[in-house]
Amino acid sequence: MQAYRLFAWKQPPRLVEMPTPEPGPGQVLVKVAGNGICQSDLHLMHDWESSPPHLQIRLPMTIGHEIGGWIEASGPGVAGLEPGRPCVVTLAGCGHCRFCAEGWNNYCAASGPQPGMGMDGGLAEYVLAPAAGIVPIDKLEPWRAAPLTDAGLTAYHAIGRVANRLVPGGSVLVIGVGGLGHMAVMILKAVSPVSVIALDRDPRALELAARLGADHLVTAGDRDREAVLAAAGGRPVDAVLDFVGAGNTIALAAETVGPLSKIAIVGRGSGAFALADRSLPYGAEIITTFGGSRRELMELVELAEAGKISPQLIPYPLSRAAAAFADLKQGRVSGRAVVMPDKIYQALAGSGPDNSPGGNP
Ligand SMILES: [Zn+2]
Ligand SMILES: [Zn+2]
């Protein structure tokens, strides 16, 4: 099979032929329909000089951790996942710790290597996944479901963490309308009555936010605080979802929220915030998030299968995976890029105009 593999840190990955793997005990072999690509892949490919200790990455490794496809085969000890069943792949927790017991497998401290982060990932024709990470789907095409597992789920979980502030008459500020932020705008409009203010510096990102139902658009610039407060009707906002996480975006969040508000920092922009008396209104909270739970992914799949959200996806063939990453790095992807095995891409490209494939040769 073909696979897009990282052979050495800080070297570009290469598309190579390799044997299709066999599922071992507790594993499932998934035939890949599509794999969404992510800023974390760019960090892995360009910034890391060795494996973070908890991921135990040994190179070479196939990239890709946002996977949709079909069950191809199950390994020993795996039952109930019949071949041909469409599915997505999510983080498999250890199943034994307190966080897993509470249903928060995304905060499991012992989850170990996962596809694309320690195990070979989804930029390939087939991928192995722990059976505990498989979530069957029904109506959605699996390539369309792939970005729900990371971009969608991370946004959905962050929204859940601020949900008690999303009340009628309230407003939420979404900072950064990229792969995750565009999901957030759509999900907020689908599940809450709150007014959505989208902020980005890229006019195309704001156009996308408008199409997805954002109530107010703010072009990031010099007077962001005033623009956000004006969009909120002259009142502070009730919640902020910061998909950038840089020093200036966290500062903007802190100066636009009101008492008892919640700021969820999702982006890994490494921004700093100095907590001091009155640096936040009384009762305001700043929280971090990571991914989302298996239960939340099931809810999000339901939302998509009901037609309540329809993420903007740009398909690329696996043979042009490098172009997909280059486009993401240069800020040329509006929505989420999904890389698909060439045969599946060709079938999609021949199936009609509304799939508008990216990655033209
Ligand atoms: Zn990711
Ligand atoms: Zn656990």
Side-chain angles (χ1 to χ4, degrees), residues 191-216:
V191 304
S192 92
V194 79
S195 168
V196 176
I197 304 165
L199 178 141
D200 202 294
R201 59 184 173 206
D202 180 354
R204 287 171 313 163
L206 291 178
E207 275 167 36
L208 176 60
R211 264 209 315 284
L212 299 174
D215 300 281
H216 303 277

Side-chain angles (χ1 to χ4, degrees), residues 346-358:
Q346 283 150 14
L348 177 76
S351 71
D354 39 323
N355 287 313
S356 61

Side-chain angles (χ1 to χ4, degrees), residues 72-83:
E72 178 76 11
S74 293
V78 179
L81 294 170
E82 66 278 17

Side-chain angles (χ1 to χ4, degrees), residues 38 40 65 150 336:
C38 179
S40 349
H65 59 270
D150 182 18
R336 195 69 155 178

Side-chain angles (χ1 to χ4, degrees), residues 129-195:
I134 298 289
V135 174
I137 59 177
D138 288 321
K139 289 181 265 179
L140 272 185
E141 291 172 85
W143 77 271
R144 288 189 183 279
L148 298 180
T149 62
D150 182 18
L153 181 58
T154 303
Y156 187 77
H157 175 64
I159 290 166
R161 298 277 283 137
V162 305
N164 67 339
R165 307 313 299 163
L166 307 180
V167 296
S171 57
V172 57
L173 171 63
V174 175
I175 300 178
V177 188
L180 277 70
H182 99 283
M183 297 273 190
V185 170
M186 244 180 315
I187 296 166
L188 283 164
K189 294 312 291 183
V191 304
S192 92
V194 79
S195 168

Side-chain angles (χ1 to χ4, degrees), residues 90-94 97 99-100 102-111 149 153-154 157-158 161 288-296:
T90 193
L91 271 176
C94 73
C97 73
F99 300 100
C100 284
E102 286 183 43
W104 296 116
N105 54 292
N106 51 320
Y107 294 115
C108 173
S111 57
T149 62
L153 181 58
T154 303
H157 175 64
R161 298 277 283 137
T288 59
T289 74
F290 178 76
S293 73
R294 183 183 171 81
R295 173 184 52 78
E296 288 173 321

Side-chain angles (χ1 to χ4, degrees), residues 26-118:
Q27 290 183 328
V28 170
L29 180 66
V30 175
K31 182 179 181 190
V32 176
N35 182 105
I37 65 167
C38 179
Q39 292 288 346
S40 349
D41 296 316
L42 290 178
H43 290 307
L44 171 95
M45 287 158 51
H46 298 297
D47 302 336
W48 294 0
E49 288 171 353
S50 62
S51 172
H54 67 288
L55 295 177
Q56 303 162 38
I57 296 176
R58 269 189 248 124
L59 301 182
M61 181 189 80
T62 306
I63 310 278
H65 59 270
E66 212 176 78
I67 303 164
W70 301 271
I71 307 287
E72 178 76 11
S74 293
V78 179
L81 294 170
E82 66 278 17
R85 181 85 198 259
C87 66
V88 288
V89 179
T90 193
L91 271 176
C94 73
H96 309 295
C97 73
R98 222 180 74 208
F99 300 100
C100 284
E102 286 183 43
W104 296 116
N105 54 292
N106 51 320
Y107 294 115
C108 173
S111 57
Q114 306 285 329
M117 290 285 169

